[in-house]
Amino acid sequence: MDWKNLPGGGGGIEDRRGGGGVPGGGIAVGGIGGLIIALMAMFFGIDPGAILGGGDGSQTQSQTQTQSQAQAQNQGTPATDESYQFMDRIMTSTNQVWGSVFQQAGRTYTPARLVLYTRGTQGGCGVASSASGPFYCPLDNKVYIDTNFFSTMQRQLGGGGDFAYSYVVAHEVGHHVQNELGIADQVEREQRSARTEAQANQASVRLELQADCFAGVWGNRVKDQAKITQADVQNAVNTAQAIGDDNLQRQGAGRVVPDSFTHGSSQQRIKWFTTGFQTGDPNKCDTFNQNYNQL
């Protein structure tokens, strides 16, 4: 992936790196077993407190980006470093793609913003910490990412490469799109009225799979400009497989509990990301009007 071919300068980035972070707090993450709690904290998703009403690029490029992120842990980093530029171009292009989609539908799109931080920071949904993983806060329309996440993603989730990292960002912007369309509010209402936890979880799964599909739509629409290769796509697919609920539960507890899924199985996440990437059509991302067992 040649991300430098993408437009920049419009990512709406707030660079809070090197500010010392916000101690304590963080967003509570439920799970079973020590490992599964750590891995589930790395889920890509809408901030759980907010929605429940609580408040392949080259190896050289990837290594350079990881080094920049590690440096940012210890000191303030100027907005010209490669890590910042990467995030700015991905955010700029995702906002442009969705701005065009909305315009064609006769709607107005408000661009998402991105907060880069280290250790922790205060946001519209409360305190974001490195344990939160990337998330979107619908209360301030911002995506929050600790700059050390991508190196953690390589070490613990087995996912790497610039397009895989882009998939993470595009997934979060996908949640912003859902917020713009009122889908997030609809899911919140469904969860509040759900009779069982399993039903509430199914609504969450549909939301997350649609965000995966939206990430694929973005990838489709920039694949020529960014020179996205089959190897890049495979990196994203590998990441989708690694973060499937079944895979994480199997690693953490040695057993799979489908009723507790909140993001979807590995197979489902791959399917919906691939659907978006192959079609480039957001209308193909309707995860809400089909039988749950056929997702």
mmCIF file of all heavy atoms in Angstrom, residues 45-88:
data_model
loop_
_atom_site.group_PDB
_atom_site.id
_atom_site.type_symbol
_atom_site.label_atom_id
_atom_site.label_comp_id
_atom_site.label_asym_id
_atom_site.label_seq_id
_atom_site.Cartn_x
_atom_site.Cartn_y
_atom_site.Cartn_z
ATOM 1 N N GLY A 45 -13.974 -0.799 18.198
ATOM 2 C CA GLY A 45 -15.408 -0.595 18.309
ATOM 3 C C GLY A 45 -15.803 0.738 18.876
ATOM 4 O O GLY A 45 -14.989 1.509 19.320
ATOM 5 N N ILE A 46 -17.073 0.984 18.828
ATOM 6 C CA ILE A 46 -17.635 2.183 19.408
ATOM 7 C C ILE A 46 -17.439 2.100 20.915
ATOM 8 O O ILE A 46 -17.450 1.023 21.480
ATOM 9 C CB ILE A 46 -19.122 2.300 19.040
ATOM 10 C CG1 ILE A 46 -19.575 3.749 19.073
ATOM 11 C CG2 ILE A 46 -19.994 1.432 19.907
ATOM 12 C CD1 ILE A 46 -20.908 3.956 18.384
ATOM 13 N N ASP A 47 -17.216 3.221 21.561
ATOM 14 C CA ASP A 47 -16.957 3.215 22.994
ATOM 15 C C ASP A 47 -18.135 2.588 23.738
ATOM 16 O O ASP A 47 -19.258 3.053 23.617
ATOM 17 C CB ASP A 47 -16.754 4.641 23.498
ATOM 18 C CG ASP A 47 -16.631 4.686 24.992
ATOM 19 O OD1 ASP A 47 -15.701 4.075 25.510
ATOM 20 O OD2 ASP A 47 -17.496 5.306 25.644
ATOM 21 N N PRO A 48 -17.903 1.512 24.496
ATOM 22 C CA PRO A 48 -19.010 0.800 25.130
ATOM 23 C C PRO A 48 -19.769 1.641 26.138
ATOM 24 O O PRO A 48 -20.975 1.526 26.278
ATOM 25 C CB PRO A 48 -18.329 -0.409 25.797
ATOM 26 C CG PRO A 48 -16.900 -0.004 25.947
ATOM 27 C CD PRO A 48 -16.603 0.887 24.782
ATOM 28 N N GLY A 49 -19.081 2.516 26.872
ATOM 29 C CA GLY A 49 -19.764 3.349 27.836
ATOM 30 C C GLY A 49 -20.735 4.298 27.177
ATOM 31 O O GLY A 49 -21.817 4.565 27.691
ATOM 32 N N ALA A 50 -20.364 4.800 25.996
ATOM 33 C CA ALA A 50 -21.216 5.775 25.315
ATOM 34 C C ALA A 50 -22.447 5.118 24.713
ATOM 35 O O ALA A 50 -23.561 5.610 24.861
ATOM 36 C CB ALA A 50 -20.422 6.485 24.226
ATOM 37 N N ILE A 51 -22.266 3.986 24.021
ATOM 38 C CA ILE A 51 -23.400 3.390 23.324
ATOM 39 C C ILE A 51 -24.391 2.762 24.295
ATOM 40 O O ILE A 51 -25.566 2.626 23.996
ATOM 41 C CB ILE A 51 -22.930 2.356 22.293
ATOM 42 C CG1 ILE A 51 -24.085 2.016 21.351
ATOM 43 C CG2 ILE A 51 -22.417 1.103 22.969
ATOM 44 C CD1 ILE A 51 -23.645 1.246 20.157
ATOM 45 N N LEU A 52 -23.926 2.437 25.497
ATOM 46 C CA LEU A 52 -24.841 1.896 26.501
ATOM 47 C C LEU A 52 -25.389 2.993 27.406
ATOM 48 O O LEU A 52 -26.054 2.716 28.392
ATOM 49 C CB LEU A 52 -24.108 0.833 27.352
ATOM 50 C CG LEU A 52 -23.715 -0.422 26.581
ATOM 51 C CD1 LEU A 52 -22.915 -1.353 27.485
ATOM 52 C CD2 LEU A 52 -24.932 -1.127 26.033
ATOM 53 N N GLY A 53 -25.075 4.253 27.052
ATOM 54 C CA GLY A 53 -25.658 5.371 27.783
ATOM 55 C C GLY A 53 -24.839 5.802 28.983
ATOM 56 O O GLY A 53 -25.302 6.624 29.780
ATOM 57 N N GLY A 54 -23.603 5.301 29.142
ATOM 58 C CA GLY A 54 -22.758 5.663 30.287
ATOM 59 C C GLY A 54 -21.871 6.822 30.014
ATOM 60 O O GLY A 54 -21.134 7.287 30.847
ATOM 61 N N GLY A 55 -22.160 7.519 29.475
ATOM 62 C CA GLY A 55 -21.336 8.675 29.455
ATOM 63 C C GLY A 55 -20.749 9.189 28.296
ATOM 64 O O GLY A 55 -21.316 10.256 28.341
ATOM 65 N N ASP A 56 -0.444 -4.259 1.819
ATOM 66 C CA ASP A 56 0.707 -4.528 2.670
ATOM 67 C C ASP A 56 1.711 -3.497 2.232
ATOM 68 O O ASP A 56 2.229 -3.590 1.174
ATOM 69 C CB ASP A 56 1.176 -5.950 2.469
ATOM 70 C CG ASP A 56 2.601 -6.349 2.786
ATOM 71 O OD1 ASP A 56 3.244 -5.789 3.614
ATOM 72 O OD2 ASP A 56 3.038 -7.279 2.131
ATOM 73 N N GLY A 57 1.842 -2.692 3.069
ATOM 74 C CA GLY A 57 2.920 -1.751 2.888
ATOM 75 C C GLY A 57 4.219 -2.453 3.105
ATOM 76 O O GLY A 57 4.292 -3.576 3.566
ATOM 77 N N SER A 58 5.320 -1.806 2.778
ATOM 78 C CA SER A 58 6.625 -2.437 2.895
ATOM 79 C C SER A 58 6.963 -2.606 4.366
ATOM 80 O O SER A 58 6.494 -1.869 5.242
ATOM 81 C CB SER A 58 7.707 -1.583 2.213
ATOM 82 O OG SER A 58 7.886 -0.365 2.919
ATOM 83 N N GLN A 59 7.862 -3.538 4.639
ATOM 84 C CA GLN A 59 8.280 -3.772 6.005
ATOM 85 C C GLN A 59 9.011 -2.553 6.544
ATOM 86 O O GLN A 59 8.900 -2.202 7.713
ATOM 87 C CB GLN A 59 9.184 -5.013 6.061
ATOM 88 C CG GLN A 59 9.564 -5.404 7.493
ATOM 89 C CD GLN A 59 10.341 -6.691 7.512
ATOM 90 O OE1 GLN A 59 10.639 -7.267 6.462
ATOM 91 N NE2 GLN A 59 10.681 -7.161 8.691
ATOM 92 N N THR A 60 9.752 -1.874 5.679
ATOM 93 C CA THR A 60 10.483 -0.690 6.102
ATOM 94 C C THR A 60 9.528 0.390 6.579
ATOM 95 O O THR A 60 9.742 1.028 7.607
ATOM 96 C CB THR A 60 11.334 -0.137 4.940
ATOM 97 O OG1 THR A 60 12.233 -1.151 4.506
ATOM 98 C CG2 THR A 60 12.122 1.088 5.388
ATOM 99 N N GLN A 61 8.444 0.598 5.850
ATOM 100 C CA GLN A 61 7.454 1.595 6.250
ATOM 101 C C GLN A 61 6.872 1.253 7.611
ATOM 102 O O GLN A 61 6.733 2.111 8.476
ATOM 103 C CB GLN A 61 6.319 1.669 5.230
ATOM 104 C CG GLN A 61 6.671 2.461 3.979
ATOM 105 C CD GLN A 61 5.477 2.554 3.048
ATOM 106 O OE1 GLN A 61 4.632 1.668 3.026
ATOM 107 N NE2 GLN A 61 5.423 3.621 2.284
ATOM 108 N N SER A 62 6.509 -0.007 7.801
ATOM 109 C CA SER A 62 5.884 -0.424 9.050
ATOM 110 C C SER A 62 6.846 -0.261 10.216
ATOM 111 O O SER A 62 6.468 0.174 11.295
ATOM 112 C CB SER A 62 5.425 -1.874 8.948
ATOM 113 O OG SER A 62 4.463 -2.011 7.932
ATOM 114 N N GLN A 63 8.128 -0.618 10.004
ATOM 115 C CA GLN A 63 9.115 -0.494 11.059
ATOM 116 C C GLN A 63 9.343 0.968 11.418
ATOM 117 O O GLN A 63 9.460 1.330 12.585
ATOM 118 C CB GLN A 63 10.427 -1.139 10.619
ATOM 119 C CG GLN A 63 10.353 -2.659 10.564
ATOM 120 C CD GLN A 63 11.616 -3.281 10.015
ATOM 121 O OE1 GLN A 63 12.409 -2.607 9.354
ATOM 122 N NE2 GLN A 63 11.812 -4.543 10.289
ATOM 123 N N THR A 64 9.403 1.805 10.394
ATOM 124 C CA THR A 64 9.593 3.228 10.640
ATOM 125 C C THR A 64 8.437 3.796 11.433
ATOM 126 O O THR A 64 8.616 4.581 12.359
ATOM 127 C CB THR A 64 9.726 3.991 9.302
ATOM 128 O OG1 THR A 64 10.838 3.464 8.588
ATOM 129 C CG2 THR A 64 9.927 5.480 9.550
ATOM 130 N N GLN A 65 7.232 3.381 11.071
ATOM 131 C CA GLN A 65 6.040 3.872 11.756
ATOM 132 C C GLN A 65 6.040 3.434 13.212
ATOM 133 O O GLN A 65 5.758 4.218 14.110
ATOM 134 C CB GLN A 65 4.797 3.341 11.054
ATOM 135 C CG GLN A 65 3.511 3.857 11.649
ATOM 136 C CD GLN A 65 2.325 3.358 10.846
ATOM 137 O OE1 GLN A 65 2.402 3.158 9.646
ATOM 138 N NE2 GLN A 65 1.237 3.161 11.532
ATOM 139 N N THR A 66 6.405 2.168 13.464
ATOM 140 C CA THR A 66 6.436 1.664 14.830
ATOM 141 C C THR A 66 7.464 2.411 15.658
ATOM 142 O O THR A 66 7.239 2.731 16.824
ATOM 143 C CB THR A 66 6.758 0.156 14.830
ATOM 144 O OG1 THR A 66 5.750 -0.522 14.076
ATOM 145 C CG2 THR A 66 6.798 -0.385 16.248
ATOM 146 N N GLN A 67 8.631 2.733 15.059
ATOM 147 C CA GLN A 67 9.672 3.466 15.763
ATOM 148 C C GLN A 67 9.188 4.856 16.144
ATOM 149 O O GLN A 67 9.447 5.345 17.238
ATOM 150 C CB GLN A 67 10.924 3.552 14.896
ATOM 151 C CG GLN A 67 11.626 2.215 14.730
ATOM 152 C CD GLN A 67 12.696 2.252 13.652
ATOM 153 O OE1 GLN A 67 12.879 3.272 12.979
ATOM 154 N NE2 GLN A 67 13.412 1.159 13.480
ATOM 155 N N SER A 68 8.475 5.489 15.222
ATOM 156 C CA SER A 68 7.941 6.818 15.504
ATOM 157 C C SER A 68 6.961 6.774 16.664
ATOM 158 O O SER A 68 6.937 7.662 17.504
ATOM 159 C CB SER A 68 7.244 7.393 14.257
ATOM 160 O OG SER A 68 8.154 7.567 13.199
ATOM 161 N N GLN A 69 6.140 5.711 16.692
ATOM 162 C CA GLN A 69 5.164 5.581 17.764
ATOM 163 C C GLN A 69 5.860 5.357 19.105
ATOM 164 O O GLN A 69 5.448 5.901 20.124
ATOM 165 C CB GLN A 69 4.214 4.423 17.466
ATOM 166 C CG GLN A 69 3.322 4.706 16.276
ATOM 167 C CD GLN A 69 2.799 3.447 15.640
ATOM 168 O OE1 GLN A 69 3.191 2.346 16.011
ATOM 169 N NE2 GLN A 69 1.923 3.600 14.664
ATOM 170 N N ALA A 70 6.913 4.559 19.106
ATOM 171 C CA ALA A 70 7.638 4.308 20.342
ATOM 172 C C ALA A 70 8.281 5.597 20.857
ATOM 173 O O ALA A 70 8.293 5.867 22.056
ATOM 174 C CB ALA A 70 8.717 3.242 20.112
ATOM 175 N N GLN A 71 8.836 6.417 19.960
ATOM 176 C CA GLN A 71 9.426 7.681 20.349
ATOM 177 C C GLN A 71 8.382 8.611 20.938
ATOM 178 O O GLN A 71 8.642 9.360 21.876
ATOM 179 C CB GLN A 71 10.098 8.338 19.142
ATOM 180 C CG GLN A 71 11.323 7.576 18.648
ATOM 181 C CD GLN A 71 11.811 8.085 17.305
ATOM 182 O OE1 GLN A 71 11.199 8.969 16.708
ATOM 183 N NE2 GLN A 71 12.916 7.536 16.830
ATOM 184 N N ALA A 72 7.167 8.541 20.375
ATOM 185 C CA ALA A 72 6.098 9.418 20.837
ATOM 186 C C ALA A 72 5.674 9.091 22.262
ATOM 187 O O ALA A 72 5.083 9.921 22.939
ATOM 188 C CB ALA A 72 4.896 9.314 19.919
ATOM 189 N N GLN A 73 5.989 7.875 22.728
ATOM 190 C CA GLN A 73 5.652 7.498 24.089
ATOM 191 C C GLN A 73 6.442 8.333 25.089
ATOM 192 O O GLN A 73 6.018 8.539 26.215
ATOM 193 C CB GLN A 73 5.963 6.017 24.319
ATOM 194 C CG GLN A 73 5.066 5.060 23.557
ATOM 195 C CD GLN A 73 3.707 4.973 24.189
ATOM 196 O OE1 GLN A 73 2.876 5.854 24.035
ATOM 197 N NE2 GLN A 73 3.464 3.919 24.921
ATOM 198 N N ASN A 74 7.624 8.779 24.689
ATOM 199 C CA ASN A 74 8.545 9.414 25.615
ATOM 200 C C ASN A 74 8.634 10.923 25.475
ATOM 201 O O ASN A 74 9.134 11.598 26.356
ATOM 202 C CB ASN A 74 9.948 8.813 25.426
ATOM 203 C CG ASN A 74 9.956 7.312 25.681
ATOM 204 O OD1 ASN A 74 9.348 6.844 26.623
ATOM 205 N ND2 ASN A 74 10.634 6.564 24.828
ATOM 206 N N GLN A 75 8.188 11.478 24.367
ATOM 207 C CA GLN A 75 8.321 12.908 24.177
ATOM 208 C C GLN A 75 7.296 13.382 23.168
ATOM 209 O O GLN A 75 6.732 12.612 22.424
ATOM 210 C CB GLN A 75 9.732 13.241 23.670
ATOM 211 C CG GLN A 75 10.056 12.629 22.310
ATOM 212 C CD GLN A 75 11.499 12.879 21.899
ATOM 213 O OE1 GLN A 75 12.351 13.082 22.746
ATOM 214 N NE2 GLN A 75 11.744 12.894 20.618
ATOM 215 N N GLY A 76 7.068 14.690 23.175
ATOM 216 C CA GLY A 76 6.163 15.264 22.207
ATOM 217 C C GLY A 76 6.714 15.063 20.807
ATOM 218 O O GLY A 76 7.918 15.076 20.583
ATOM 219 N N THR A 77 5.836 14.853 19.837
ATOM 220 C CA THR A 77 6.257 14.561 18.476
ATOM 221 C C THR A 77 5.665 15.598 17.530
ATOM 222 O O THR A 77 4.474 15.865 17.599
ATOM 223 C CB THR A 77 5.783 13.162 18.048
ATOM 224 O OG1 THR A 77 6.196 12.217 19.030
ATOM 225 C CG2 THR A 77 6.374 12.777 16.699
ATOM 226 N N PRO A 78 6.489 16.210 16.678
ATOM 227 C CA PRO A 78 5.961 17.220 15.777
ATOM 228 C C PRO A 78 5.003 16.615 14.767
ATOM 229 O O PRO A 78 5.050 15.428 14.481
ATOM 230 C CB PRO A 78 7.223 17.765 15.087
ATOM 231 C CG PRO A 78 8.211 16.642 15.168
ATOM 232 C CD PRO A 78 7.931 15.973 16.492
ATOM 233 N N ALA A 79 4.148 17.475 14.218
ATOM 234 C CA ALA A 79 3.122 16.999 13.293
ATOM 235 C C ALA A 79 3.678 16.582 11.946
ATOM 236 O O ALA A 79 2.925 16.237 11.051
ATOM 237 C CB ALA A 79 2.063 18.088 13.107
ATOM 238 N N THR A 80 5.000 16.618 11.801
ATOM 239 C CA THR A 80 5.606 16.208 10.531
ATOM 240 C C THR A 80 6.112 14.769 10.573
ATOM 241 O O THR A 80 6.621 14.274 9.566
ATOM 242 C CB THR A 80 6.776 17.140 10.176
ATOM 243 O OG1 THR A 80 7.711 17.163 11.271
ATOM 244 C CG2 THR A 80 6.282 18.555 9.919
ATOM 245 N N ASP A 81 6.022 14.079 11.720
ATOM 246 C CA ASP A 81 6.552 12.717 11.771
ATOM 247 C C ASP A 81 5.679 11.790 10.940
ATOM 248 O O ASP A 81 4.510 12.072 10.660
ATOM 249 C CB ASP A 81 6.656 12.233 13.226
ATOM 250 C CG ASP A 81 5.297 11.951 13.832
ATOM 251 O OD1 ASP A 81 4.574 12.917 14.131
ATOM 252 O OD2 ASP A 81 4.958 10.776 13.969
ATOM 253 N N GLU A 82 6.254 10.670 10.526
ATOM 254 C CA GLU A 82 5.584 9.786 9.584
ATOM 255 C C GLU A 82 4.313 9.166 10.155
ATOM 256 O O GLU A 82 3.328 8.954 9.433
ATOM 257 C CB GLU A 82 6.537 8.687 9.125
ATOM 258 C CG GLU A 82 5.970 7.858 7.987
ATOM 259 C CD GLU A 82 7.012 7.001 7.296
ATOM 260 O OE1 GLU A 82 7.307 5.922 7.839
ATOM 261 O OE2 GLU A 82 7.529 7.411 6.248
ATOM 262 N N SER A 83 4.316 8.870 11.445
ATOM 263 C CA SER A 83 3.128 8.308 12.073
ATOM 264 C C SER A 83 1.952 9.272 11.955
ATOM 265 O O SER A 83 0.836 8.866 11.613
ATOM 266 C CB SER A 83 3.415 8.004 13.554
ATOM 267 O OG SER A 83 2.261 7.529 14.192
ATOM 268 N N TYR A 84 2.207 10.542 12.233
ATOM 269 C CA TYR A 84 1.161 11.556 12.118
ATOM 270 C C TYR A 84 0.683 11.669 10.677
ATOM 271 O O TYR A 84 -0.523 11.727 10.416
ATOM 272 C CB TYR A 84 1.689 12.908 12.603
ATOM 273 C CG TYR A 84 0.673 14.037 12.543
ATOM 274 C CD1 TYR A 84 -0.012 14.437 13.678
ATOM 275 C CD2 TYR A 84 0.405 14.700 11.338
ATOM 276 C CE1 TYR A 84 -0.947 15.459 13.631
ATOM 277 C CE2 TYR A 84 -0.524 15.721 11.278
ATOM 278 C CZ TYR A 84 -1.192 16.102 12.425
ATOM 279 O OH TYR A 84 -2.121 17.116 12.368
ATOM 280 N N GLN A 85 1.614 11.717 9.739
ATOM 281 C CA GLN A 85 1.257 11.867 8.334
ATOM 282 C C GLN A 85 0.415 10.687 7.842
ATOM 283 O O GLN A 85 -0.539 10.861 7.075
ATOM 284 C CB GLN A 85 2.518 12.005 7.472
ATOM 285 C CG GLN A 85 3.301 13.284 7.724
ATOM 286 C CD GLN A 85 2.495 14.531 7.402
ATOM 287 O OE1 GLN A 85 1.690 14.535 6.475
ATOM 288 N NE2 GLN A 85 2.700 15.598 8.167
ATOM 289 N N PHE A 86 0.762 9.485 8.296
ATOM 290 C CA PHE A 86 -0.010 8.299 7.931
ATOM 291 C C PHE A 86 -1.453 8.437 8.408
ATOM 292 O O PHE A 86 -2.403 8.248 7.638
ATOM 293 C CB PHE A 86 0.636 7.054 8.549
ATOM 294 C CG PHE A 86 -0.174 5.793 8.410
ATOM 295 C CD1 PHE A 86 -0.188 5.084 7.218
ATOM 296 C CD2 PHE A 86 -0.926 5.308 9.478
ATOM 297 C CE1 PHE A 86 -0.941 3.920 7.081
ATOM 298 C CE2 PHE A 86 -1.673 4.149 9.356
ATOM 299 C CZ PHE A 86 -1.686 3.457 8.163
ATOM 300 N N MET A 87 -1.615 8.786 9.676
ATOM 301 C CA MET A 87 -2.948 8.895 10.222
ATOM 302 C C MET A 87 -3.735 10.011 9.545
ATOM 303 O O MET A 87 -4.931 9.880 9.282
ATOM 304 C CB MET A 87 -2.876 9.146 11.734
ATOM 305 C CG MET A 87 -2.181 8.035 12.516
ATOM 306 S SD MET A 87 -2.995 6.427 12.351
ATOM 307 C CE MET A 87 -4.499 6.735 13.245
ATOM 308 N N ASP A 88 -3.069 11.112 9.254
ATOM 309 C CA ASP A 88 -3.748 12.233 8.600
ATOM 310 C C ASP A 88 -4.268 11.838 7.226
ATOM 311 O O ASP A 88 -5.399 12.166 6.854
ATOM 312 C CB ASP A 88 -2.776 13.409 8.464
ATOM 313 C CG ASP A 88 -3.393 14.569 7.690
ATOM 314 O OD1 ASP A 88 -4.433 15.096 8.121
ATOM 315 O OD2 ASP A 88 -2.833 14.936 6.636
#
